[in-house]
Amino acid sequence: MYQHIRFGTYVNIFNTVIPLFLQRVLLLVASDVDALCACKILQALFQCDHVQYTLVPVSGWQELETAFLEHKDQFKYFVLINCGANVDLLEILQPEEDTLFFVCDSHRPINVVNVYNDTQIKLLVKQDDDLDVPAYDDIFRDEEVEEEDSENESDASEPSEKRRRFEEVFKCGGFFSLFRREILFDYEQYEYHGTSSAMVMFDLAWIMSKDLNDMLWWAIVGLTDQWVQDKITQMKYVTDIGILQRHVSRHNHRNEDEENSLSIDCMRIAFEYDLRLALYQHWSLYESLCNTSYTSASLKLWSVQGQKRLQEFLADMGLPLKQVKQKFNSMDMSLKENLREMIEESANKFGMKDLRVQTFSIHFGFKNKFSASDIVYATASLMENIEKEGPETTNFIKALDSLSRGNLDKLHQGLDLAKKQLRAIQQTVASCICTNLVISQGPFLYCSLMEGTPDVKLFSKPVSLCLLSKYLLKSFVCSTKNKRCKLLPLIMAAPMDVEQGTVIMVGIPPETESSDKKNFFGRAFEKAADSTNSRTLHNHFDMSIIELKTEDRSKFLDALISLLS
Amino acid sequence: LIHSRALGVTPEVSVVMPHSLPSLLLQGGTVWKSQAQSEAKSGRTDLIFLIRFRHCCLLRTQRCVLAYLYDRLLRIRALRWEYGSVLPNTIQFHMSAEEVEWFNRYKKSLATYMRSVGGEEGLDLTQDIKPPKSLYIEVRCLRDYGEFEIDDGTTVLLKKNSQHFLPRWKCEQLIRQGVLEHILS
């Protein structure tokens, strides 16, 4: 079935690049935490093997194209991390024939041209990742057959033997094209995410026997990022945690043995069945309970009754308010000892069955203990920091630095920013729910942030806005009594650039227990933009995030409503 | 002000090119000496003290200027170690013709010495001033520099905040200039 798909593995990347060690590689890395972690692992591997590379951060398709154009004369090998799989790369970039692209991207579905291209595009995908790609014969016909059949070809493919570039011929007549269009539509309709790129990179390192505890930690952070941003299903998360746990015990088994354990300064990773409270070890327990979406939504903390319920919850656990409002590290040891079990018991009584989650934590030295989700929040906040002046790439570089253990000051700065961000999110969610800003438009829910809203500048960045939307949807689902509204997806809009009059819009799938996290808004946005001639910019690698002009917003929404109903 | 009057230079002229200073000093010195001699001959002995005082000031100014010029030479010598054989235009603009010639002669002398040391090909002493820890290093570009050509002909585009993993000897100069920053992971 998959005879035409070439899965890039160790063999491909390192056998083509290393013998030509005089060749240099260009790394194009997207701006999300998973990509940063994958980049760190790949950098470590390249440094080990003395492969010269240049790293260029890209935050969207325009930057990708610019970077490619600037560097195409100097590089033949390009590695794309978390970008480029879901569009026809060769069409967009128009590279030379001998350019080689290695794409490690968790975005799905992978564009069929990328999958079936033998020569220029190598995909790094795990063996068990099921791509569901339509069969080759269903979508493509070999060139000789095409020339016989169709007379009016809009894109005539050059009959070149070296480069079998598969151009999709849309105007060839007959039943084949209809059938094919349907298959492609089904395949490309829903966007979702596959295995984390950081985990794929770690797998590569493991196959080459060059894996280290540091790389394992980055793989863990990459996976946790997918979980925090709700990009993967619970099942996939648990499966991947299992895979990583085997690696963790392989690297960190010496800790269990009392006699031969490592010095306290050495870095060690431990599996934890930890609380799902964001940043609770670097904050106070009370703040963490208020600012984590799961607890805030379940207890409905935006209402007065919710606050009372929180007090009852704390009383049920026997935790005095004074203790709980202190910094977590200063809480009494007697209270901290059985905290997790206590909280879980009480949480079950209050309807929060999933308060604990499987995750990992890292220790080095006496003071430094971080949970994987802490690092994810910190790095994401650093990357989308609005306070700094200067080009956006500075934030990317800072976030990349904070992932190294030597840069603890940057990590702590990230943690502070993350606390601010989480507080801002919760306050915005509370105000949106209390003022009924979330309205049902029929096929979806819609919420728009006004310009004067506090902290609205924070939400002009895609990842923060996505986080806000997911938390808002969770809280809305808990607050509304309308059964139909609970199953609807959400579109969220926030002002992006006041001077240019643009708005950033994000669409997220509905919040249900067994959601498969598949998002149809990517295609929907494209179609709506086409039909209304709205001025939109589909710049982000996630197709469900767009920018559009404020004036075009209403007609765009109307088009969406009619499209989706 | 005393100095400028002694040199016979009007106070408005505040910027004096370094290469013109020595000649001005010499001019001023000879003028005053001859003037002193003529004054002494004409019997105006009461001016001797003023003349002597002014002469001492002149000598002091001369010493200061010579110290300044010598310091410039030392810095130009350091430039050879920092920038290599070819100086950027912005720096050459600020050097006088004599200084440029001095620089070229220093370059030649250093090259002769380096060739004589270390066997057949000579030894490039300006490389690896600090003992290197690794063959390749990771560097980050701190400002937009443009294209940078390496010895084997390949070019690297140095844009702000791009990171590169390059052989150490190719980056050293730029690190010293502050364009690249060495990153220790």
Side-chain angles (χ1 to χ4, degrees), chain A residues 43 47 53 55 397 401, chain B residues 136 138 140 161 163-165:
Chain A
Q43 276 183 305
Q47 285 171 12
Y53 65 85
L55 168 67
I397 294 290
D401 278 344
Chain B
Y136 289 80
E138 172 136 18
R140 177 177 300 160
N161 286 333
Q163 281 190 209
H164 310 266
F165 186 63

Side-chain angles (χ1 to χ4, degrees), chain A residues 338-506:
Chain A
N338 288 323
L339 187 66
R340 292 179 194 175
E341 288 80 21
M342 269 202 309
I343 290 195
E344 195 179 16
E345 243 184 80
S346 305
N348 275 324
K349 290 188 213 159
F350 282 77
M352 295 188 278
K353 302 236 163 49
D354 297 319
L355 198 54
R356 285 176 84 175
V357 69
Q358 298 179 347
T359 184
F360 297 94
S361 69
I362 189 176
H363 301 236
F364 44 99
F366 287 102
K367 271 207 297 187
N368 305 311
K369 178 174 195 277
F370 300 100
S371 156
S373 58
D374 298 342
I375 307 285
V376 168
Y377 283 118
T379 316
S381 312
L382 276 175
M383 213 161 35
E384 302 211 320
N385 192 358
I386 45 166
E387 289 166 26
K388 285 294 160 159
E389 302 294 327
E392 276 183 27
T393 41
T394 324
N395 285 340
F396 179 94
I397 294 290
K398 214 169 189 192
L400 193 66
D401 278 344
S402 77
L403 285 172
S404 301
R405 274 182 291 131
N407 295 319
L408 277 177
D409 53 333
K410 295 202 175 113
L411 182 61
H412 283 292
Q413 189 190 5
L415 285 170
D416 287 331
L417 284 172
K419 289 180 197 166
K420 273 196 213 150
Q421 186 194 43
L422 284 170
R423 261 199 220 112
I425 289 181
Q426 285 311 122
Q427 284 168 0
T428 315
V429 164
S431 74
C432 284
I433 303 241
C434 291
T435 56
N436 289 325
L437 268 178
V438 183
I439 32 184
S440 164
Q441 297 278 21
F444 54 83
L445 299 165
Y446 177 70
C447 179
S448 164
L449 292 181
M450 292 299 130
E451 246 166 67
T453 323
D455 301 314
V456 79
K457 282 220 188 73
L458 233 95
F459 303 123
S460 62
K461 301 276 177 179
V463 175
S464 309
L465 188 59
C466 279
L467 219 56
L468 170 67
S469 329
K470 290 195 199 271
Y471 288 11
L472 180 59
L473 188 56
K474 272 204 188 90
S475 306
F476 180 76
V477 161
C478 290
S479 79
T480 183
K481 296 208 176 60
N482 187 332
K483 287 235 169 88
R484 203 185 78 86
C485 280
K486 290 199 199 218
L487 303 171
L488 292 177
L490 171 69
I491 293 187
M492 186 105 196
M496 179 148 181
D497 191 333
V498 182
E499 289 152 9
Q500 294 187 356
T502 50
V503 155
I504 178 172
M505 209 179 260
V506 154

Side-chain angles (χ1 to χ4, degrees), chain A residues 283-298:
Chain A
W283 223 348
S284 69
L285 197 58
Y286 186 76
E287 290 267 7
S288 188
L289 280 167
C290 293
N291 290 314
T292 303
S293 73
Y294 184 69
T295 44
S296 159
S298 312

Side-chain angles (χ1 to χ4, degrees), chain A residues 22 24 43 46-48 50-57 66 70-71 74 391 393-394 397 400-401 404, chain B residues 134-136 138 140 147 150 152 154-157 159-167 170 183-185:
Chain A
L22 291 173
R24 290 160 45 233
Q43 276 183 305
F46 278 158
Q47 285 171 12
C48 198
H50 290 323
V51 175
Q52 298 180 46
Y53 65 85
T54 296
L55 168 67
V56 177
T66 321
E70 281 174 359
H71 289 100
Q74 296 133 25
T393 41
T394 324
I397 294 290
L400 193 66
D401 278 344
S404 301
Chain B
S134 59
L135 211 52
Y136 289 80
E138 172 136 18
R140 177 177 300 160
E147 299 218 341
I150 323 180
D152 56 8
T154 53
T155 43
V156 188
L157 179 66
K159 266 197 121 170
K160 182 163 180 179
N161 286 333
S162 58
Q163 281 190 209
H164 310 266
F165 186 63
L166 299 168
K170 295 180 185 168
I183 302 187
L184 312 139
S185 54

Side-chain angles (χ1 to χ4, degrees), chain A residues 135-202:
Chain A
Y136 175 75
D137 295 318
D138 286 343
I139 358 176
F140 297 109
R141 277 194 185 171
D142 280 328
E143 284 154 22
E144 317 87 62
V145 183
E146 270 171 1
E147 274 167 26
E148 278 174 22
D149 270 26
S150 50
E151 287 152 19
N152 311 322
E153 288 191 8
S154 55
D155 304 306
S157 37
E158 296 168 77
S160 118
E161 279 152 60
K162 280 184 206 166
R163 172 178 168 183
R164 286 166 70 203
R165 189 174 155 175
F166 302 109
E167 302 214 351
E168 299 172 80
V169 182
F170 286 109
K171 284 196 181 152
C172 80
F175 186 62
F176 173 73
S177 84
L178 261 169
F179 179 52
R180 174 179 173 275
R181 219 176 304 194
E182 223 186 273
I183 293 188
L184 277 178
F185 180 74
D186 283 335
Y187 177 62
E188 292 174 351
Q189 193 185 23
Y190 287 96
E191 272 191 304
Y192 59 104
H193 288 266
T195 314
S196 138
S197 307
M199 278 187 67
V200 173
M201 286 296 174
F202 179 76

Side-chain angles (χ1 to χ4, degrees), chain A residues 31-241:
Chain A
S31 300
D32 63 88
V33 180
D34 185 24
L36 282 175
C37 294
C39 170
K40 280 291 233 199
I41 299 178
L42 191 59
Q43 276 183 305
L45 286 174
F46 278 158
Q47 285 171 12
C48 198
D49 278 327
H50 290 323
V51 175
Q52 298 180 46
Y53 65 85
T54 296
L55 168 67
V56 177
V58 292
S59 62
W61 295 111
Q62 285 179 345
E63 280 191 35
L64 181 68
E65 282 177 57
T66 321
F68 179 74
L69 286 171
E70 281 174 359
H71 289 100
K72 67 176 183 178
D73 297 324
Q74 296 133 25
F75 291 94
K76 283 221 196 79
Y77 299 98
F78 293 83
V79 178
L80 274 68
I81 301 187
N82 263 3
C83 50
N86 45 0
V87 293
D88 186 352
L89 263 184
L90 299 180
E91 177 86 33
I92 289 190
L93 298 179
Q94 304 276 339
E96 305 290 319
E97 282 195 21
D98 50 359
T99 316
L100 209 55
F101 292 94
F102 294 93
V103 179
C104 180
D105 190 350
S106 61
H107 288 106
R108 302 279 182 271
I110 304 188
N111 192 292
V112 287
V113 178
N114 291 345
V115 171
Y116 286 118
N117 182 305
D118 280 1
T119 48
Q120 284 190 274
I121 298 191
K122 313 275 185 199
L123 298 168
L124 274 82
V125 180
K126 275 187 122 165
Q127 292 287 93
D128 12 337
D129 236 13
D130 190 14
L131 293 186
D132 277 337
V133 185
Y136 175 75
D137 295 318
D138 286 343
I139 358 176
F140 297 109
R141 277 194 185 171
D142 280 328
E143 284 154 22
E144 317 87 62
V145 183
E146 270 171 1
E147 274 167 26
E148 278 174 22
D149 270 26
S150 50
E151 287 152 19
N152 311 322
E153 288 191 8
S154 55
D155 304 306
S157 37
E158 296 168 77
S160 118
E161 279 152 60
K162 280 184 206 166
R163 172 178 168 183
R164 286 166 70 203
R165 189 174 155 175
F166 302 109
E167 302 214 351
E168 299 172 80
V169 182
F170 286 109
K171 284 196 181 152
C172 80
F175 186 62
F176 173 73
S177 84
L178 261 169
F179 179 52
R180 174 179 173 275
R181 219 176 304 194
E182 223 186 273
I183 293 188
L184 277 178
F185 180 74
D186 283 335
Y187 177 62
E188 292 174 351
Q189 193 185 23
Y190 287 96
E191 272 191 304
Y192 59 104
H193 288 266
T195 314
S196 138
S197 307
M199 278 187 67
V200 173
M201 286 296 174
F202 179 76
D203 226 32
L204 186 69
W206 180 46
I207 292 175
M208 293 167 63
S209 301
K210 291 195 170 131
D211 56 324
L212 296 169
N213 224 2
D214 279 310
M215 296 185 194
L216 179 56
W217 177 246
W218 289 323
I220 291 172
V221 175
L223 173 66
T224 313
D225 173 60
Q226 283 196 319
W227 178 75
V228 163
Q229 293 202 41
D230 230 9
K231 285 184 177 166
I232 51 175
T233 58
Q234 186 66 12
M235 261 252 289
K236 176 129 180 63
Y237 176 70
V238 170
T239 321
D240 285 344
I241 288 272

